[in-house]
Amino acid sequence: MNVLLETSMGDIEIALDAENAPKTVENFLGYVKDGHYNQTLFHRVINGFMIQGGGMDANMQEKPTRPPVANEADNGLKNEAYTVAMARTSDPHSATAQFFINVKNNTFLNHTAKTPQGWGYTVFGKVVKGHPVVNKIKAVKTGSKGMHADVPVEPVIIRSATVVSEVS
């Protein structure tokens, strides 16, 4: 199943991996189908690391979320360039709506052990179209906004997120 992110900088299509990350994909699709990601921002951009979005509205206010999803980072998928993973706090099982696209291989984010330090970040998909758009976003000028660092100076908006193909 694929999801299309229509952004202010172009379209990004993500292939979801429900076989290896079933709970995470179900969680992500719930937010897509509810329209949660529409008019949110890529609010954290670090070139050479990742672009993060899906949780902040245009005013940098965090949107309400459902309960966290269990961490599935032990699924064998790696945080490699153009893979999509769930953002979380220091609690390994705290991922809700925010996600990030790795812009390089980030092996230090991979699962190594079922410990607070080793859980890693759940990869649940990969970019299949729109690599140039990801590359444009990762290169935007960033600054601080309120308590947030690495915020694009010119907002990068996720206009909509929609399911574009269903595999039966």
Side-chain angles (χ1 to χ4, degrees):
M1 183 173 308
N2 289 10
V3 167
L4 180 67
L5 301 178
E6 293 180 52
T7 82
S8 56
M9 296 188 80
D11 295 350
I12 301 168
E13 189 171 330
I14 300 166
L16 304 179
D17 190 337
E19 184 178 330
N20 288 303
K23 293 175 187 164
T24 305
V25 167
E26 180 182 0
N27 175 68
F28 183 75
L29 284 173
Y31 285 109
V32 169
K33 291 174 179 174
D34 288 350
H36 176 90
Y37 295 125
N38 300 349
Q39 301 305 311
T40 59
L41 302 174
F42 274 109
H43 66 275
R44 185 170 175 235
V45 172
I46 304 173
N47 197 352
F49 179 34
M50 56 90 227
I51 62 174
Q52 181 174 332
M56 303 282 185
D57 67 18
N59 298 314
M60 289 293 291
Q61 298 299 311
E62 196 161 351
K63 292 183 72 171
T65 60
R66 292 194 290 278
V69 63
N71 191 315
E72 296 178 300
D74 59 346
N75 62 13
L77 300 176
K78 305 294 183 207
N79 282 277
E80 296 171 341
Y82 304 105
T83 58
V84 185
M86 292 306 295
R88 61 172 177 80
T89 66
S90 57
D91 174 353
H93 303 285
S94 63
T96 55
Q98 292 188 33
F99 62 91
F100 61 92
I101 300 172
N102 288 290
V103 300
K104 72 175 207 48
N105 293 349
N106 290 311
T107 55
F108 70 98
L109 298 179
N110 293 337
H111 174 80
T112 56
K114 291 186 178 181
T115 64
Q117 296 77 27
W119 256 109
Y121 290 74
T122 303
V123 172
F124 65 96
K126 64 182 177 191
V127 174
V128 292
K129 291 181 187 167
H131 296 90
V133 176
V134 173
N135 293 338
K136 275 198 300 190
I137 295 170
K138 78 177 184 182
V140 300
K141 185 176 183 200
T142 60
S144 294
K145 191 164 186 178
M147 299 184 331
H148 303 279
D150 308 307
V151 178
V153 173
E154 290 289 321
V156 179
I157 302 161
I158 299 171
R159 292 184 175 135
S160 67
T162 52
V163 175
V164 290
S165 67
E166 305 236 7
V167 178
S168 52

